[in-house]
Amino acid sequence: LVEKALDVANKLVAAHFPNCSVALLAGSYVRGDDTATSDFDIVIIDDQYELSFRQSFYFLNYPVECFVHNKESYKAYVEADIERARPSLLNMIREGIVIQDDGFASTLKAEIDSLYRKGPKKWSEQEEQLKRYLLTDILDDFMSCTNEQEELFIAGQLLDQLHEYILRMNGYWIGSGKWIYRALERFDPEIAKEFGKAAQLYYRNKNKTNLVNLTEKWLNKYGGKLFDGFQAGQIIKK
């Protein structure tokens, strides 16, 4: 499948970006977890474009997403990845298979790999306090909710905030959607399984216990639930 994907990607680059500096095939076809609806993720570095852009289209009946940058514009997107702790472009460049190169690919990959290994920007003490307060708040909402429909969405928000809290407090990258579980697995497969089990028990059986206990366990690692005494911003009297 990878060989077939590379053939399609090479033809695509030849047709749409023949003079680019670097072209990388990234995404599910490279990882080997492609599905019937997977698209081709192609990273392009091409100095003929002044600004970065993303373009989606069909090529040979395959859905394609091209992420096009020049040799400077990609840096802003990398910085955004680091700031939000979601390594979207970082992962595509790190994992990407080189399909066209003017010599810049090795430099680019080395730079990105170094940044990835450093991990995301660390939370400040104030950010840690805020995130602990927000996680406490959504946990309390989840525990006390009596509206079944509302509770479904509170649970989703709790799972998202909990995964972020676990990973960021340990200096790891976070995810969104299906990448939440993948990000947890990269941190610790056993913790990922515990997290997945808690989600399954709630959504399949409406059993809150494991999710509540898991959240409280991680809050307790870093000072416990936070409400009394929390303050955001300075109190300055006139």
Side-chain angles (χ1 to χ4, degrees):
L1 284 176
V2 173
E3 189 174 325
K4 180 180 177 181
L6 283 170
D7 180 59
V8 173
N10 272 295
K11 289 175 179 175
L12 185 151
V13 172
H16 289 273
F17 305 99
N19 300 313
C20 69
S21 296
V22 177
L24 303 169
L25 171 63
S28 56
Y29 283 99
V30 172
R31 294 190 302 270
D33 56 15
D34 51 291
T35 68
T37 59
S38 292
D39 52 25
F40 280 79
D41 292 325
I42 310 287
V43 178
I44 299 292
I45 304 294
D46 192 331
D47 276 345
Q48 74 171 306
Y49 298 105
E50 186 174 349
L51 300 173
S52 297
F53 65 93
R54 177 174 175 171
Q55 188 175 41
S56 300
F57 54 90
Y58 282 90
F59 181 80
L60 300 179
N61 295 320
Y62 291 101
V64 174
E65 283 193 296
C66 288
F67 302 84
V68 184
H69 306 271
N70 62 47
K71 288 181 179 178
E72 288 297 323
S73 68
Y74 76 89
K75 295 177 182 179
Y77 287 78
V78 168
E79 285 300 318
D81 275 6
I82 294 169
E83 184 69 29
R84 64 184 184 146
R86 287 196 176 102
S88 302
L89 183 58
L90 285 165
N91 273 333
M92 285 194 287
I93 294 174
R94 279 181 64 247
E95 298 172 352
I97 297 174
V98 178
I99 53 180
Q100 185 156 308
D101 181 23
D102 68 354
F104 183 63
S106 60
T107 301
L108 175 65
K109 277 182 163 286
E111 174 196 356
I112 295 303
D113 188 63
S114 175
L115 291 171
Y116 181 86
R117 290 176 185 278
K118 286 180 183 177
K121 181 181 177 183
K122 191 179 185 302
W123 275 342
S124 66
E125 184 178 343
Q126 291 78 15
E127 287 173 318
E128 288 182 6
Q129 294 288 302
L130 175 61
K131 294 295 184 176
R132 183 155 66 99
Y133 172 80
L134 293 174
L135 188 56
T136 299
D137 185 58
I138 194 66
L139 175 61
D140 287 344
D141 278 352
F142 180 63
M143 293 171 65
S144 62
C145 185
T146 57
N147 183 310
E148 184 176 346
Q149 302 306 313
E150 291 180 359
E151 189 176 279
L152 294 170
F153 296 94
I154 294 172
Q157 187 178 4
L158 176 59
L159 287 163
D160 185 46
Q161 289 189 15
L162 177 59
H163 113 276
E164 179 190 40
Y165 191 73
I166 292 171
L167 295 178
R168 293 301 302 274
M169 291 298 287
N170 286 277
Y172 274 73
W173 302 99
I174 64 172
S176 62
K178 64 186 178 185
W179 283 97
I180 288 177
Y181 189 80
R182 292 175 182 180
L184 285 165
E185 267 196 319
R186 288 181 177 182
F187 169 55
D188 188 317
E190 291 305 313
I191 289 170
K193 288 178 184 176
E194 188 180 9
F195 190 94
K197 181 180 178 181
Q200 286 179 343
L201 284 171
Y202 172 70
Y203 281 115
R204 290 180 180 176
N205 305 322
K206 296 298 183 287
N207 185 334
K208 298 182 182 183
T209 304
N210 282 51
L211 183 50
V212 169
N213 290 345
L214 182 62
T215 307
E216 289 181 336
K217 181 179 82 171
W218 281 96
L219 282 168
N220 289 337
K221 282 180 180 286
Y222 304 105
K225 296 173 73 173
L226 178 60
F227 177 79
D228 189 31
F230 174 76
Q231 178 182 318
Q234 293 181 312
I235 300 173
I236 302 175
K237 293 183 178 180
K238 291 184 177 179

